[in-house]
PDB file of all heavy atoms in Angstrom:
ATOM      1  N   ARG A   1      80.676  81.000 238.492  1.00 98.00           N
ATOM      2  CA  ARG A   1      80.206  80.164 239.627  1.00 98.00           C
ATOM      3  C   ARG A   1      79.263  79.053 239.173  1.00 98.00           C
ATOM      4  O   ARG A   1      79.244  77.981 239.776  1.00 98.00           O
ATOM      5  CB  ARG A   1      79.475  81.035 240.647  1.00 98.00           C
ATOM      6  CG  ARG A   1      80.316  82.144 241.240  1.00 98.00           C
ATOM      7  CD  ARG A   1      79.580  82.818 242.405  1.00 98.00           C
ATOM      8  NE  ARG A   1      78.324  83.439 242.001  1.00 98.00           N
ATOM      9  CZ  ARG A   1      77.126  83.134 242.526  1.00 98.00           C
ATOM     10  NH1 ARG A   1      77.044  82.211 243.473  1.00 98.00           N
ATOM     11  NH2 ARG A   1      76.032  83.753 242.113  1.00 98.00           N
ATOM     12  N   PHE A   2      78.491  79.314 238.142  1.00 98.00           N
ATOM     13  CA  PHE A   2      77.505  78.350 237.655  1.00 98.00           C
ATOM     14  C   PHE A   2      77.925  77.848 236.277  1.00 98.00           C
ATOM     15  O   PHE A   2      78.522  78.593 235.489  1.00 98.00           O
ATOM     16  CB  PHE A   2      76.129  78.996 237.518  1.00 98.00           C
ATOM     17  CG  PHE A   2      75.451  79.351 238.820  1.00 98.00           C
ATOM     18  CD1 PHE A   2      76.124  79.321 240.031  1.00 98.00           C
ATOM     19  CD2 PHE A   2      74.105  79.724 238.812  1.00 98.00           C
ATOM     20  CE1 PHE A   2      75.492  79.656 241.212  1.00 98.00           C
ATOM     21  CE2 PHE A   2      73.452  80.066 239.985  1.00 98.00           C
ATOM     22  CZ  PHE A   2      74.149  80.037 241.183  1.00 98.00           C
ATOM     23  N   THR A   3      77.584  76.592 235.996  1.00 98.00           N
ATOM     24  CA  THR A   3      77.849  76.002 234.682  1.00 98.00           C
ATOM     25  C   THR A   3      76.619  75.267 234.204  1.00 98.00           C
ATOM     26  O   THR A   3      76.075  74.422 234.928  1.00 98.00           O
ATOM     27  CB  THR A   3      79.040  75.036 234.745  1.00 98.00           C
ATOM     28  OG1 THR A   3      80.204  75.719 235.215  1.00 98.00           O
ATOM     29  CG2 THR A   3      79.324  74.453 233.369  1.00 98.00           C
ATOM     30  N   ILE A   4      76.185  75.589 232.994  1.00 98.00           N
ATOM     31  CA  ILE A   4      75.065  74.890 232.381  1.00 98.00           C
ATOM     32  C   ILE A   4      75.626  73.885 231.379  1.00 98.00           C
ATOM     33  O   ILE A   4      76.599  74.165 230.671  1.00 98.00           O
ATOM     34  CB  ILE A   4      74.084  75.873 231.703  1.00 98.00           C
ATOM     35  CG1 ILE A   4      72.809  75.164 231.259  1.00 98.00           C
ATOM     36  CG2 ILE A   4      74.742  76.628 230.548  1.00 98.00           C
ATOM     37  CD1 ILE A   4      71.708  76.118 230.802  1.00 98.00           C
ATOM     38  N   ALA A   5      75.005  72.704 231.341  1.00 98.00           N
ATOM     39  CA  ALA A   5      75.445  71.658 230.423  1.00 98.00           C
ATOM     40  C   ALA A   5      74.244  70.816 230.032  1.00 98.00           C
ATOM     41  O   ALA A   5      73.222  70.825 230.736  1.00 98.00           O
ATOM     42  CB  ALA A   5      76.517  70.789 231.083  1.00 98.00           C
ATOM     43  N   ARG A   6      74.382  70.097 228.944  1.00 98.00           N
ATOM     44  CA  ARG A   6      73.262  69.273 228.493  1.00 98.00           C
ATOM     45  C   ARG A   6      73.756  67.895 228.080  1.00 98.00           C
ATOM     46  O   ARG A   6      74.903  67.737 227.635  1.00 98.00           O
ATOM     47  CB  ARG A   6      72.513  69.946 227.344  1.00 98.00           C
ATOM     48  CG  ARG A   6      73.296  70.092 226.063  1.00 98.00           C
ATOM     49  CD  ARG A   6      72.546  71.007 225.072  1.00 98.00           C
ATOM     50  NE  ARG A   6      71.237  70.459 224.712  1.00 98.00           N
ATOM     51  CZ  ARG A   6      70.227  71.200 224.258  1.00 98.00           C
ATOM     52  NH1 ARG A   6      70.374  72.521 224.122  1.00 98.00           N
ATOM     53  NH2 ARG A   6      69.082  70.631 223.921  1.00 98.00           N
ATOM     54  N   ASP A   7      72.856  66.922 228.222  1.00 97.00           N
ATOM     55  CA  ASP A   7      73.108  65.555 227.781  1.00 97.00           C
ATOM     56  C   ASP A   7      71.920  65.156 226.916  1.00 97.00           C
ATOM     57  O   ASP A   7      70.857  64.797 227.432  1.00 97.00           O
ATOM     58  CB  ASP A   7      73.256  64.623 228.991  1.00 97.00           C
ATOM     59  CG  ASP A   7      73.632  63.209 228.594  1.00 97.00           C
ATOM     60  OD1 ASP A   7      73.422  62.824 227.432  1.00 97.00           O
ATOM     61  OD2 ASP A   7      74.127  62.473 229.459  1.00 97.00           O
ATOM     62  N   ASN A   8      72.086  65.248 225.614  1.00 96.00           N
ATOM     63  CA  ASN A   8      70.975  64.968 224.706  1.00 96.00           C
ATOM     64  C   ASN A   8      70.540  63.502 224.750  1.00 96.00           C
ATOM     65  O   ASN A   8      69.378  63.196 224.474  1.00 96.00           O
ATOM     66  CB  ASN A   8      71.351  65.362 223.284  1.00 96.00           C
ATOM     67  CG  ASN A   8      71.422  66.867 223.096  1.00 96.00           C
ATOM     68  OD1 ASN A   8      70.867  67.636 223.887  1.00 96.00           O
ATOM     69  ND2 ASN A   8      72.130  67.301 222.070  1.00 96.00           N
ATOM     70  N   ALA A   9      71.446  62.616 225.093  1.00 96.00           N
ATOM     71  CA  ALA A   9      71.079  61.203 225.182  1.00 96.00           C
ATOM     72  C   ALA A   9      70.093  60.954 226.326  1.00 96.00           C
ATOM     73  O   ALA A   9      69.321  59.988 226.286  1.00 96.00           O
ATOM     74  CB  ALA A   9      72.323  60.352 225.377  1.00 96.00           C
ATOM     75  N   LYS A  10      70.136  61.838 227.324  1.00 97.00           N
ATOM     76  CA  LYS A  10      69.244  61.692 228.479  1.00 97.00           C
ATOM     77  C   LYS A  10      68.152  62.756 228.513  1.00 97.00           C
ATOM     78  O   LYS A  10      67.386  62.812 229.478  1.00 97.00           O
ATOM     79  CB  LYS A  10      70.064  61.785 229.779  1.00 97.00           C
ATOM     80  CG  LYS A  10      71.070  60.663 229.956  1.00 97.00           C
ATOM     81  CD  LYS A  10      71.819  60.791 231.270  1.00 97.00           C
ATOM     82  CE  LYS A  10      72.799  59.641 231.456  1.00 97.00           C
ATOM     83  NZ  LYS A  10      73.544  59.751 232.743  1.00 97.00           N
ATOM     84  N   ASN A  11      68.088  63.590 227.472  1.00 97.00           N
ATOM     85  CA  ASN A  11      67.106  64.694 227.438  1.00 97.00           C
ATOM     86  C   ASN A  11      67.168  65.533 228.707  1.00 97.00           C
ATOM     87  O   ASN A  11      66.138  65.965 229.246  1.00 97.00           O
ATOM     88  CB  ASN A  11      65.678  64.151 227.260  1.00 97.00           C
ATOM     89  CG  ASN A  11      65.413  63.605 225.882  1.00 97.00           C
ATOM     90  OD1 ASN A  11      66.208  63.791 224.960  1.00 97.00           O
ATOM     91  ND2 ASN A  11      64.297  62.925 225.715  1.00 97.00           N
ATOM     92  N   THR A  12      68.372  65.787 229.171  1.00 98.00           N
ATOM     93  CA  THR A  12      68.557  66.441 230.460  1.00 98.00           C
ATOM     94  C   THR A  12      69.525  67.612 230.355  1.00 98.00           C
ATOM     95  O   THR A  12      70.560  67.508 229.682  1.00 98.00           O
ATOM     96  CB  THR A  12      69.063  65.438 231.510  1.00 98.00           C
ATOM     97  OG1 THR A  12      68.103  64.391 231.665  1.00 98.00           O
ATOM     98  CG2 THR A  12      69.274  66.111 232.862  1.00 98.00           C
ATOM     99  N   VAL A  13      69.161  68.688 231.033  1.00 98.00           N
ATOM    100  CA  VAL A  13      70.039  69.841 231.171  1.00 98.00           C
ATOM    101  C   VAL A  13      70.373  70.000 232.646  1.00 98.00           C
ATOM    102  O   VAL A  13      69.541  69.720 233.518  1.00 98.00           O
ATOM    103  CB  VAL A  13      69.382  71.126 230.597  1.00 98.00           C
ATOM    104  CG1 VAL A  13      68.097  71.481 231.324  1.00 98.00           C
ATOM    105  CG2 VAL A  13      70.359  72.287 230.605  1.00 98.00           C
ATOM    106  N   TYR A  14      71.594  70.404 232.903  1.00 98.00           N
ATOM    107  CA  TYR A  14      72.083  70.534 234.267  1.00 98.00           C
ATOM    108  C   TYR A  14      72.498  71.977 234.559  1.00 98.00           C
ATOM    109  O   TYR A  14      72.867  72.725 233.653  1.00 98.00           O
ATOM    110  CB  TYR A  14      73.298  69.624 234.483  1.00 98.00           C
ATOM    111  CG  TYR A  14      73.058  68.183 234.177  1.00 98.00           C
ATOM    112  CD1 TYR A  14      73.421  67.652 232.932  1.00 98.00           C
ATOM    113  CD2 TYR A  14      72.463  67.345 235.104  1.00 98.00           C
ATOM    114  CE1 TYR A  14      73.200  66.319 232.632  1.00 98.00           C
ATOM    115  CE2 TYR A  14      72.243  66.010 234.814  1.00 98.00           C
ATOM    116  CZ  TYR A  14      72.612  65.503 233.586  1.00 98.00           C
ATOM    117  OH  TYR A  14      72.387  64.184 233.297  1.00 98.00           O
ATOM    118  N   LEU A  15      72.445  72.313 235.824  1.00 98.00           N
ATOM    119  CA  LEU A  15      73.009  73.579 236.273  1.00 98.00           C
ATOM    120  C   LEU A  15      73.857  73.270 237.500  1.00 98.00           C
ATOM    121  O   LEU A  15      73.324  72.950 238.565  1.00 98.00           O
ATOM    122  CB  LEU A  15      71.921  74.597 236.626  1.00 98.00           C
ATOM    123  CG  LEU A  15      72.446  75.982 237.001  1.00 98.00           C
ATOM    124  CD1 LEU A  15      73.057  76.663 235.760  1.00 98.00           C
ATOM    125  CD2 LEU A  15      71.340  76.856 237.583  1.00 98.00           C
ATOM    126  N   GLN A  16      75.153  73.313 237.315  1.00 98.00           N
ATOM    127  CA  GLN A  16      76.084  73.116 238.426  1.00 98.00           C
ATOM    128  C   GLN A  16      76.333  74.466 239.066  1.00 98.00           C
ATOM    129  O   GLN A  16      76.790  75.405 238.401  1.00 98.00           O
ATOM    130  CB  GLN A  16      77.400  72.526 237.932  1.00 98.00           C
ATOM    131  CG  GLN A  16      78.435  72.318 239.029  1.00 98.00           C
ATOM    132  CD  GLN A  16      78.018  71.254 240.022  1.00 98.00           C
ATOM    133  OE1 GLN A  16      77.600  70.159 239.640  1.00 98.00           O
ATOM    134  NE2 GLN A  16      78.124  71.573 241.308  1.00 98.00           N
ATOM    135  N   MET A  17      76.018  74.574 240.353  1.00 98.00           N
ATOM    136  CA  MET A  17      76.136  75.829 241.073  1.00 98.00           C
ATOM    137  C   MET A  17      77.165  75.683 242.178  1.00 98.00           C
ATOM    138  O   MET A  17      77.093  74.737 242.970  1.00 98.00           O
ATOM    139  CB  MET A  17      74.781  76.227 241.665  1.00 98.00           C
ATOM    140  CG  MET A  17      73.653  76.271 240.650  1.00 98.00           C
ATOM    141  SD  MET A  17      72.092  76.845 241.353  1.00 98.00           S
ATOM    142  CE  MET A  17      71.707  75.486 242.456  1.00 98.00           C
ATOM    143  N   SER A  18      78.094  76.605 242.240  1.00 98.00           N
ATOM    144  CA  SER A  18      79.101  76.580 243.293  1.00 98.00           C
ATOM    145  C   SER A  18      79.251  77.973 243.888  1.00 98.00           C
ATOM    146  O   SER A  18      78.722  78.948 243.355  1.00 98.00           O
ATOM    147  CB  SER A  18      80.440  76.073 242.758  1.00 98.00           C
ATOM    148  OG  SER A  18      80.901  76.904 241.708  1.00 98.00           O
ATOM    149  N   SER A  19      79.972  78.049 244.981  1.00 98.00           N
ATOM    150  CA  SER A  19      80.166  79.311 245.707  1.00 98.00           C
ATOM    151  C   SER A  19      78.837  80.024 245.922  1.00 98.00           C
ATOM    152  O   SER A  19      78.707  81.228 245.697  1.00 98.00           O
ATOM    153  CB  SER A  19      81.141  80.216 244.945  1.00 98.00           C
ATOM    154  OG  SER A  19      82.396  79.597 244.786  1.00 98.00           O
ATOM    155  N   LEU A  20      77.864  79.265 246.363  1.00 98.00           N
ATOM    156  CA  LEU A  20      76.516  79.815 246.537  1.00 98.00           C
ATOM    157  C   LEU A  20      76.487  80.826 247.675  1.00 98.00           C
ATOM    158  O   LEU A  20      77.198  80.691 248.682  1.00 98.00           O
ATOM    159  CB  LEU A  20      75.522  78.691 246.799  1.00 98.00           C
ATOM    160  CG  LEU A  20      75.207  77.826 245.565  1.00 98.00           C
ATOM    161  CD1 LEU A  20      74.599  76.488 245.971  1.00 98.00           C
ATOM    162  CD2 LEU A  20      74.259  78.578 244.640  1.00 98.00           C
ATOM    163  N   ASN A  21      75.661  81.831 247.499  1.00 97.00           N
ATOM    164  CA  ASN A  21      75.451  82.829 248.546  1.00 97.00           C
ATOM    165  C   ASN A  21      73.955  83.082 248.711  1.00 97.00           C
ATOM    166  O   ASN A  21      73.133  82.574 247.944  1.00 97.00           O
ATOM    167  CB  ASN A  21      76.226  84.108 248.233  1.00 97.00           C
ATOM    168  CG  ASN A  21      75.813  84.727 246.911  1.00 97.00           C
ATOM    169  OD1 ASN A  21      74.668  85.113 246.723  1.00 97.00           O
ATOM    170  ND2 ASN A  21      76.760  84.837 245.981  1.00 97.00           N
ATOM    171  N   SER A  22      73.616  83.884 249.691  1.00 96.00           N
ATOM    172  CA  SER A  22      72.202  84.086 250.029  1.00 96.00           C
ATOM    173  C   SER A  22      71.409  84.694 248.876  1.00 96.00           C
ATOM    174  O   SER A  22      70.199  84.474 248.773  1.00 96.00           O
ATOM    175  CB  SER A  22      72.085  84.969 251.271  1.00 96.00           C
ATOM    176  OG  SER A  22      72.708  86.226 251.049  1.00 96.00           O
ATOM    177  N   GLU A  23      72.082  85.438 248.025  1.00 96.00           N
ATOM    178  CA  GLU A  23      71.386  86.054 246.892  1.00 96.00           C
ATOM    179  C   GLU A  23      71.003  85.030 245.825  1.00 96.00           C
ATOM    180  O   GLU A  23      70.247  85.356 244.907  1.00 96.00           O
ATOM    181  CB  GLU A  23      72.250  87.157 246.281  1.00 96.00           C
ATOM    182  CG  GLU A  23      72.463  88.340 247.218  1.00 96.00           C
ATOM    183  CD  GLU A  23      73.237  89.471 246.565  1.00 96.00           C
ATOM    184  OE1 GLU A  23      73.765  89.270 245.461  1.00 96.00           O
ATOM    185  OE2 GLU A  23      73.302  90.564 247.168  1.00 96.00           O
ATOM    186  N   ASP A  24      71.491  83.813 245.943  1.00 98.00           N
ATOM    187  CA  ASP A  24      71.116  82.759 245.007  1.00 98.00           C
ATOM    188  C   ASP A  24      69.846  82.029 245.456  1.00 98.00           C
ATOM    189  O   ASP A  24      69.344  81.164 244.728  1.00 98.00           O
ATOM    190  CB  ASP A  24      72.254  81.744 244.867  1.00 98.00           C
ATOM    191  CG  ASP A  24      73.516  82.354 244.278  1.00 98.00           C
ATOM    192  OD1 ASP A  24      73.396  83.128 243.302  1.00 98.00           O
ATOM    193  OD2 ASP A  24      74.608  82.060 244.791  1.00 98.00           O
ATOM    194  N   THR A  25      69.349  82.356 246.626  1.00 98.00           N
ATOM    195  CA  THR A  25      68.122  81.735 247.121  1.00 98.00           C
ATOM    196  C   THR A  25      66.954  82.123 246.220  1.00 98.00           C
ATOM    197  O   THR A  25      66.686  83.306 246.005  1.00 98.00           O
ATOM    198  CB  THR A  25      67.840  82.168 248.564  1.00 98.00           C
ATOM    199  OG1 THR A  25      68.865  81.636 249.414  1.00 98.00           O
ATOM    200  CG2 THR A  25      66.483  81.669 249.027  1.00 98.00           C
ATOM    201  N   ALA A  26      66.270  81.119 245.688  1.00 98.00           N
ATOM    202  CA  ALA A  26      65.181  81.361 244.749  1.00 98.00           C
ATOM    203  C   ALA A  26      64.563  80.026 244.344  1.00 98.00           C
ATOM    204  O   ALA A  26      65.107  78.963 244.648  1.00 98.00           O
ATOM    205  CB  ALA A  26      65.692  82.085 243.505  1.00 98.00           C
ATOM    206  N   VAL A  27      63.443  80.134 243.648  1.00 98.00           N
ATOM    207  CA  VAL A  27      62.917  78.965 242.943  1.00 98.00           C
ATOM    208  C   VAL A  27      63.546  78.981 241.554  1.00 98.00           C
ATOM    209  O   VAL A  27      63.499  79.998 240.855  1.00 98.00           O
ATOM    210  CB  VAL A  27      61.389  78.995 242.847  1.00 98.00           C
ATOM    211  CG1 VAL A  27      60.882  77.795 242.058  1.00 98.00           C
ATOM    212  CG2 VAL A  27      60.769  79.017 244.235  1.00 98.00           C
ATOM    213  N   TYR A  28      64.130  77.867 241.173  1.00 98.00           N
ATOM    214  CA  TYR A  28      64.808  77.739 239.886  1.00 98.00           C
ATOM    215  C   TYR A  28      63.912  76.972 238.918  1.00 98.00           C
ATOM    216  O   TYR A  28      63.409  75.894 239.246  1.00 98.00           O
ATOM    217  CB  TYR A  28      66.144  77.035 240.064  1.00 98.00           C
ATOM    218  CG  TYR A  28      67.194  77.927 240.666  1.00 98.00           C
ATOM    219  CD1 TYR A  28      67.121  78.319 241.996  1.00 98.00           C
ATOM    220  CD2 TYR A  28      68.250  78.418 239.897  1.00 98.00           C
ATOM    221  CE1 TYR A  28      68.070  79.170 242.553  1.00 98.00           C
ATOM    222  CE2 TYR A  28      69.207  79.257 240.432  1.00 98.00           C
ATOM    223  CZ  TYR A  28      69.108  79.627 241.759  1.00 98.00           C
ATOM    224  OH  TYR A  28      70.053  80.481 242.311  1.00 98.00           O
ATOM    225  N   TYR A  29      63.752  77.548 237.724  1.00 98.00           N
ATOM    226  CA  TYR A  29      62.886  76.984 236.705  1.00 98.00           C
ATOM    227  C   TYR A  29      63.689  76.615 235.467  1.00 98.00           C
ATOM    228  O   TYR A  29      64.573  77.363 235.024  1.00 98.00           O
ATOM    229  CB  TYR A  29      61.808  77.982 236.296  1.00 98.00           C
ATOM    230  CG  TYR A  29      60.852  78.365 237.398  1.00 98.00           C
ATOM    231  CD1 TYR A  29      61.108  79.456 238.216  1.00 98.00           C
ATOM    232  CD2 TYR A  29      59.677  77.640 237.594  1.00 98.00           C
ATOM    233  CE1 TYR A  29      60.226  79.813 239.221  1.00 98.00           C
ATOM    234  CE2 TYR A  29      58.784  77.995 238.597  1.00 98.00           C
ATOM    235  CZ  TYR A  29      59.070  79.078 239.407  1.00 98.00           C
ATOM    236  OH  TYR A  29      58.194  79.436 240.402  1.00 98.00           O
ATOM    237  N   CYS A  30      63.320  75.526 234.876  1.00 98.00           N
ATOM    238  CA  CYS A  30      63.880  75.075 233.615  1.00 98.00           C
ATOM    239  C   CYS A  30      62.941  75.520 232.492  1.00 98.00           C
ATOM    240  O   CYS A  30      61.716  75.531 232.674  1.00 98.00           O
ATOM    241  CB  CYS A  30      63.984  73.551 233.660  1.00 98.00           C
ATOM    242  SG  CYS A  30      64.487  72.755 232.152  1.00 98.00           S
ATOM    243  N   ARG A  31      63.510  75.868 231.363  1.00 98.00           N
ATOM    244  CA  ARG A  31      62.716  76.325 230.222  1.00 98.00           C
ATOM    245  C   ARG A  31      63.227  75.679 228.949  1.00 98.00           C
ATOM    246  O   ARG A  31      64.436  75.597 228.716  1.00 98.00           O
ATOM    247  CB  ARG A  31      62.792  77.843 230.092  1.00 98.00           C
ATOM    248  CG  ARG A  31      61.911  78.433 229.007  1.00 98.00           C
ATOM    249  CD  ARG A  31      62.119  79.947 228.932  1.00 98.00           C
ATOM    250  NE  ARG A  31      61.133  80.602 228.074  1.00 98.00           N
ATOM    251  CZ  ARG A  31      61.163  81.907 227.776  1.00 98.00           C
ATOM    252  NH1 ARG A  31      62.111  82.687 228.273  1.00 98.00           N
ATOM    253  NH2 ARG A  31      60.234  82.421 226.988  1.00 98.00           N
ATOM    254  N   LEU A  32      62.296  75.261 228.099  1.00 98.00           N
ATOM    255  CA  LEU A  32      62.611  74.696 226.788  1.00 98.00           C
ATOM    256  C   LEU A  32      62.011  75.596 225.728  1.00 98.00           C
ATOM    257  O   LEU A  32      60.809  75.918 225.792  1.00 98.00           O
ATOM    258  CB  LEU A  32      62.050  73.275 226.672  1.00 98.00           C
ATOM    259  CG  LEU A  32      62.253  72.532 225.359  1.00 98.00           C
ATOM    260  CD1 LEU A  32      62.346  71.031 225.625  1.00 98.00           C
ATOM    261  CD2 LEU A  32      61.146  72.819 224.347  1.00 98.00           C
ATOM    262  N   GLN A  33      62.827  75.981 224.764  1.00 97.00           N
ATOM    263  CA  GLN A  33      62.348  76.848 223.693  1.00 97.00           C
ATOM    264  C   GLN A  33      62.782  76.317 222.338  1.00 97.00           C
ATOM    265  O   GLN A  33      63.944  75.984 222.119  1.00 97.00           O
ATOM    266  CB  GLN A  33      62.918  78.264 223.859  1.00 97.00           C
ATOM    267  CG  GLN A  33      62.385  79.024 225.060  1.00 97.00           C
ATOM    268  CD  GLN A  33      63.038  80.391 225.166  1.00 97.00           C
ATOM    269  OE1 GLN A  33      64.162  80.539 225.641  1.00 97.00           O
ATOM    270  NE2 GLN A  33      62.323  81.410 224.710  1.00 97.00           N
ATOM    271  N   ILE A  34      61.795  76.250 221.435  1.00 94.00           N
ATOM    272  CA  ILE A  34      62.044  75.986 220.039  1.00 94.00           C
ATOM    273  C   ILE A  34      60.868  76.584 219.305  1.00 94.00           C
ATOM    274  O   ILE A  34      59.778  76.651 219.858  1.00 94.00           O
ATOM    275  CB  ILE A  34      62.229  74.481 219.756  1.00 94.00           C
ATOM    276  CG1 ILE A  34      62.654  74.267 218.306  1.00 94.00           C
ATOM    277  CG2 ILE A  34      60.998  73.689 220.123  1.00 94.00           C
ATOM    278  CD1 ILE A  34      63.073  72.849 217.992  1.00 94.00           C
ATOM    279  N   HIS A  35      61.043  77.004 218.079  1.00 88.00           N
ATOM    280  CA  HIS A  35      59.981  77.731 217.391  1.00 88.00           C
ATOM    281  C   HIS A  35      58.633  77.041 217.559  1.00 88.00           C
ATOM    282  O   HIS A  35      58.464  75.864 217.270  1.00 88.00           O
ATOM    283  CB  HIS A  35      60.319  77.895 215.907  1.00 88.00           C
ATOM    284  CG  HIS A  35      60.802  76.651 215.246  1.00 88.00           C
ATOM    285  ND1 HIS A  35      59.977  75.644 214.832  1.00 88.00           N
ATOM    286  CD2 HIS A  35      62.051  76.259 214.910  1.00 88.00           C
ATOM    287  CE1 HIS A  35      60.688  74.695 214.287  1.00 88.00           C
ATOM    288  NE2 HIS A  35      61.947  75.047 214.318  1.00 88.00           N
ATOM    289  N   GLY A  36      57.681  77.796 218.109  1.00 86.00           N
ATOM    290  CA  GLY A  36      56.335  77.289 218.326  1.00 86.00           C
ATOM    291  C   GLY A  36      56.123  76.604 219.652  1.00 86.00           C
ATOM    292  O   GLY A  36      54.997  76.248 219.999  1.00 86.00           O
ATOM    293  N   THR A  37      57.204  76.406 220.401  1.00 91.00           N
ATOM    294  CA  THR A  37      57.094  75.720 221.682  1.00 91.00           C
ATOM    295  C   THR A  37      57.886  76.469 222.737  1.00 91.00           C
ATOM    296  O   THR A  37      59.050  76.803 222.518  1.00 91.00           O
ATOM    297  CB  THR A  37      57.618  74.278 221.581  1.00 91.00           C
ATOM    298  OG1 THR A  37      56.849  73.549 220.623  1.00 91.00           O
ATOM    299  CG2 THR A  37      57.522  73.568 222.934  1.00 91.00           C
ATOM    300  N   ASP A  38      57.243  76.704 223.875  1.00 95.00           N
ATOM    301  CA  ASP A  38      57.883  77.371 225.003  1.00 95.00           C
ATOM    302  C   ASP A  38      57.315  76.735 226.269  1.00 95.00           C
ATOM    303  O   ASP A  38      56.156  76.943 226.595  1.00 95.00           O
ATOM    304  CB  ASP A  38      57.602  78.873 224.968  1.00 95.00           C
ATOM    305  CG  ASP A  38      58.401  79.647 226.001  1.00 95.00           C
ATOM    306  OD1 ASP A  38      59.044  79.014 226.867  1.00 95.00           O
ATOM    307  OD2 ASP A  38      58.387  80.891 225.954  1.00 95.00           O
ATOM    308  N   ARG A  39      58.109  75.935 226.942  1.00 97.00           N
ATOM    309  CA  ARG A  39      57.652  75.187 228.113  1.00 97.00           C
ATOM    310  C   ARG A  39      58.510  75.485 229.336  1.00 97.00           C
ATOM    311  O   ARG A  39      59.715  75.684 229.221  1.00 97.00           O
ATOM    312  CB  ARG A  39      57.695  73.679 227.842  1.00 97.00           C
ATOM    313  CG  ARG A  39      56.756  73.206 226.771  1.00 97.00           C
ATOM    314  CD  ARG A  39      55.311  73.163 227.244  1.00 97.00           C
ATOM    315  NE  ARG A  39      54.434  72.658 226.195  1.00 97.00           N
ATOM    316  CZ  ARG A  39      53.799  73.435 225.320  1.00 97.00           C
ATOM    317  NH1 ARG A  39      53.940  74.745 225.375  1.00 97.00           N
ATOM    318  NH2 ARG A  39      53.024  72.890 224.406  1.00 97.00           N
ATOM    319  N   TRP A  40      57.827  75.482 230.490  1.00 97.00           N
ATOM    320  CA  TRP A  40      58.488  75.701 231.771  1.00 97.00           C
ATOM    321  C   TRP A  40      58.286  74.487 232.671  1.00 97.00           C
ATOM    322  O   TRP A  40      57.242  73.828 232.630  1.00 97.00           O
ATOM    323  CB  TRP A  40      57.914  76.921 232.478  1.00 97.00           C
ATOM    324  CG  TRP A  40      58.204  78.216 231.810  1.00 97.00           C
ATOM    325  CD1 TRP A  40      57.479  78.794 230.801  1.00 97.00           C
ATOM    326  CD2 TRP A  40      59.276  79.117 232.097  1.00 97.00           C
ATOM    327  NE1 TRP A  40      58.042  79.999 230.452  1.00 97.00           N
ATOM    328  CE2 TRP A  40      59.150  80.224 231.226  1.00 97.00           C
ATOM    329  CE3 TRP A  40      60.333  79.107 233.003  1.00 97.00           C
ATOM    330  CZ2 TRP A  40      60.042  81.302 231.241  1.00 97.00           C
ATOM    331  CZ3 TRP A  40      61.215  80.169 233.018  1.00 97.00           C
ATOM    332  CH2 TRP A  40      61.072  81.248 232.142  1.00 97.00           C
ATOM    333  N   GLY A  41      59.268  74.222 233.494  1.00 97.00           N
ATOM    334  CA  GLY A  41      59.120  73.231 234.529  1.00 97.00           C
ATOM    335  C   GLY A  41      58.389  73.813 235.723  1.00 97.00           C
ATOM    336  O   GLY A  41      58.040  74.992 235.750  1.00 97.00           O
ATOM    337  N   GLN A  42      58.190  72.976 236.728  1.00 96.00           N
ATOM    338  CA  GLN A  42      57.411  73.389 237.893  1.00 96.00           C
ATOM    339  C   GLN A  42      58.250  74.158 238.905  1.00 96.00           C
ATOM    340  O   GLN A  42      57.709  74.784 239.819  1.00 96.00           O
ATOM    341  CB  GLN A  42      56.778  72.162 238.575  1.00 96.00           C
ATOM    342  CG  GLN A  42      57.698  71.382 239.512  1.00 96.00           C
ATOM    343  CD  GLN A  42      58.740  70.549 238.793  1.00 96.00           C
ATOM    344  OE1 GLN A  42      58.747  70.446 237.565  1.00 96.00           O
ATOM    345  NE2 GLN A  42      59.636  69.948 239.561  1.00 96.00           N
TER     346      GLN A  42
END
């Protein structure tokens, strides 16, 4: 139902969500991980 993809030229990651249902209701957070760095979006 969901597809994650990235565009390095735009420094952007996407989450395409389809066939959504009530159990998908939530706050969605983005996370970046590389050795020594772990960051979350708002």
